[in-house]
Every structure is written in structure tokens, then in C-alpha cells.
Amino acid sequence: TVDPDPTVNYWKARLFEKSGRIAEAIELFRGVETNDAAGDLRAAAKREREFAEWRLDFEQRAGVKPRTTGTSTPKADPGSSDQ
């Protein structure tokens, strides 16, 4: 969900990028980049978007599958008897 505050969107985009949700991050970075109220964040969002686009392209060329939410495998509890 896009927030009207560009600062919130910038940090949300950074979080998405770090968690592998690159395409979603790119869209949020674009929104910040074109928001006149974003001030200095516009330049930062542009740099981050350009890098995220490069990363997405690189990963696609390398055959890396994009991460999606909810796909992590839970680790066994070290104290459980299921090991």
C-alpha cells in the first residue's frame, strides 16, 4: 500500500529491497522520485531505484528466482524431539 508520506514510502521500499521484493521496491522508489514533497529523498530514491533495477536484471540473467512473501522454510526447534 502506498502511503502519502514519501519518507514512509522510501523506507518501505528499502525494506522491500532488502527482503528480496525488488519489483515492489522499484515501484515505491519511483513514487518517491516523482513526488515533489520528497525533497532530498528524490535523489536517494533515484539512486536506489537504478540499483534495484540493475539487481533485478542481473538476477534474472543469472537465473535467480525472485523471492515472494511467505516462502521461508521454518527451522526446526533445537529443543524439539523431531530432529
Side-chain angles (χ1 to χ4, degrees), residues 5-32:
D5 183 347
T7 303
V8 171
N9 289 330
Y10 175 81
W11 288 107
K12 197 181 288 187
R14 293 293 310 266
L15 177 66
F16 284 168
E17 181 189 8
K18 297 296 181 194
S19 64
R21 295 166 62 182
I22 310 288
E24 292 168 277
I26 290 169
E27 291 306 312
L28 284 171
F29 283 135
R30 277 193 186 121
V32 174

Side-chain angles (χ1 to χ4, degrees), residues 1 4 9 15 21 24 30-33 35-37 43 46-49 51-53 55 59 64 66 68 75 79 81:
T1 311
N9 289 330
L15 177 66
R21 295 166 62 182
E24 292 168 277
R30 277 193 186 121
V32 174
E33 195 179 341
N35 187 331
D36 292 334
K46 181 178 190 244
R47 282 191 309 272
E48 297 295 337
R49 177 193 49 81
F51 176 76
E53 288 173 340
R55 179 180 169 188
E59 289 179 354
V64 176
T68 58
K75 295 182 180 176
S81 61

Side-chain angles (χ1 to χ4, degrees), residues 48-76:
E48 297 295 337
R49 177 193 49 81
E50 288 171 346
F51 176 76
E53 288 173 340
W54 173 86
R55 179 180 169 188
L56 185 62
D57 181 61
F58 177 82
E59 289 179 354
Q60 287 172 343
R61 289 174 189 239
V64 176
K65 293 183 181 178
R67 286 186 247 167
T68 58
T69 59
T71 59
S72 64
T73 305
K75 295 182 180 176

